[in-house]
């Protein structure tokens, strides 16, 4: 309660400055936590070993093949349907 009374006794310019400072600190605190958590995450990360790297590469390659085959099917399917409907 005494802080509220002390705040209200401040000159207007100091009240505005205090408000701006509070807003800046409100923005700085969460960003500081993000930086702290990011540093902690990077420290805990490890490089993948050879087997894990090969597994990830194989999964990506299989995904590329599946997506490519799907795209090919989507691209080629309308051609026979178009020939059947138009008759030419």
């Amino acid at each position: 309660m005494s802080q509220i009374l002390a705040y209200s006794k401040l000159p207007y310019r100091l009240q505005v400055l205090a408000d701006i400072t509070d807003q800046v600190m409100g923005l700085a605190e969460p960003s500081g936590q993000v930086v702290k958590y990011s540093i902690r995450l990077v420290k805990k990360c490890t490089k993948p070993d050879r087997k894990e790297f090969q597994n990830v590469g194989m999964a990506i390659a299989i995904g590329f093949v599946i997506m490519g085959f799907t795209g090919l099917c989507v691209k080629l399917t309308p051609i026979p349907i178009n020939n059947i409907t138009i008759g030419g």
Side-chain angles (χ1 to χ4, degrees):
M1 184 72 175
S2 62
Q3 290 178 346
I4 295 172
L5 293 175
Y7 179 77
S8 64
K9 291 180 181 180
L10 288 174
Y12 178 72
R13 288 184 181 175
L14 290 178
Q15 288 178 0
V16 171
L17 184 62
D19 289 339
I20 292 172
T21 305
D22 289 341
Q23 290 175 355
V24 169
M25 292 305 292
L27 292 173
E29 185 177 329
S31 61
Q33 287 178 346
V34 168
V35 169
K36 181 177 137 184
Y37 291 144
S38 298
I39 290 171
R40 193 168 95 193
L41 175 69
V42 169
K43 285 183 179 179
K44 285 193 173 207
C45 290
T46 59
K47 290 176 81 173
D49 58 354
R50 186 174 185 87
K51 183 178 180 183
E52 184 180 1
F53 188 76
Q54 286 177 340
N55 285 343
V56 170
M58 186 62 68
I60 291 171
I62 291 171
F64 270 104
V65 168
I66 291 171
M67 291 301 291
F69 184 72
T70 304
L72 181 68
C73 290
V74 167
K75 181 74 173 173
L76 295 179
T77 301
I79 295 172
I81 292 174
N82 196 14
N83 288 338
I84 293 170
T85 57
I86 295 176

